[in-house]
Amino acid sequence: MASLNVGNLGEYLREQRRNAQLSLRQLADAAGVSNPYLSQIERGLRKPSAEVLQQVAKALRISAETLYVRAGILDEKERDELETRAVILADPSINERQKQVLLQIYESFRKENGFETSSYADVDPADVDPEAVDADGSPGAADSRDAGPKQSPPS
């Protein structure tokens, strides 16, 4: 079988697996993939799907986005933007409304500095239901605009 251009990914996965002190079989079981398939990924013979990479990342407790970049699925700049959003959305010290406002400010700065903005960059936080956050971290704007502005609970 010819080697694909995923050697960097395979080497990185092997290193992360060894750092986690897991055998190939243990990681394969934890990620829900076969032992031979994982071995082929580590040796650069197979290019895994984003779903498989996500499962492996979860089993290793590392960022799936990092694996996506190494596999050529995601651009480095996109990863940085996604990780920034994820950190903001995961912060337990601020409420959902504050998170959405912070994301809007972040997008406005990116736009001002000439970077592409996400499709939800121009969402008015007043129109966002804090409970309606999509899986990608975007503020479920389409749903909340149909329902009208939401009132945030008193602080």
Side-chain angles (χ1 to χ4, degrees):
M1 189 178 284
S3 179
L4 301 171
N5 190 16
V6 291
N8 187 26
L9 171 66
E11 292 168 16
Y12 181 75
L13 280 177
R14 183 178 292 120
E15 180 184 321
Q16 294 302 311
R17 176 177 58 79
R18 289 180 176 162
N19 288 342
Q21 299 179 340
L22 294 172
S23 70
L24 192 64
R25 186 174 309 280
Q26 288 171 320
L27 178 57
D29 288 345
V33 299
S34 74
N35 187 36
Y37 182 62
L38 186 57
S39 174
Q40 290 175 342
I41 294 169
E42 281 194 1
R43 291 181 288 139
L45 301 175
R46 294 275 184 168
K47 183 174 182 178
S49 68
E51 182 178 319
V52 168
L53 288 174
Q54 184 175 22
Q55 291 169 229
V56 171
K58 185 176 180 181
L60 287 171
R61 297 183 179 177
I62 62 174
S63 163
E65 287 81 10
T66 299
L67 296 183
Y68 296 159
V69 169
R70 290 191 179 265
I73 296 172
L74 184 66
D75 181 80
E76 184 83 29
K77 291 177 185 175
E78 291 173 317
R79 182 198 68 175
D80 291 344
E81 183 180 348
L82 286 172
E83 287 181 349
T84 300
R85 290 178 198 293
V87 168
I88 291 170
L89 291 170
D91 188 338
S93 68
I94 57 177
N95 66 38
E96 292 303 313
R97 172 97 171 110
Q98 292 167 331
K99 290 175 186 180
Q100 296 309 319
V101 171
L102 188 53
L103 285 172
Q104 184 186 26
I105 293 167
Y106 173 68
E107 285 295 342
S108 69
F109 283 146
R110 286 182 51 81
K111 188 174 183 179
E112 181 179 312
N113 292 334
F115 290 94
E116 287 185 30
T117 58
S118 302
S119 59
Y120 50 86
D122 297 323
V123 173
D124 180 357
D127 292 339
V128 176
D129 178 355
E131 304 299 318
V133 176
D134 294 338
D136 67 353
S138 62
D143 298 333
S144 62
R145 284 186 180 177
D146 294 338
K150 303 291 181 192
Q151 297 293 322
S152 57
S155 299

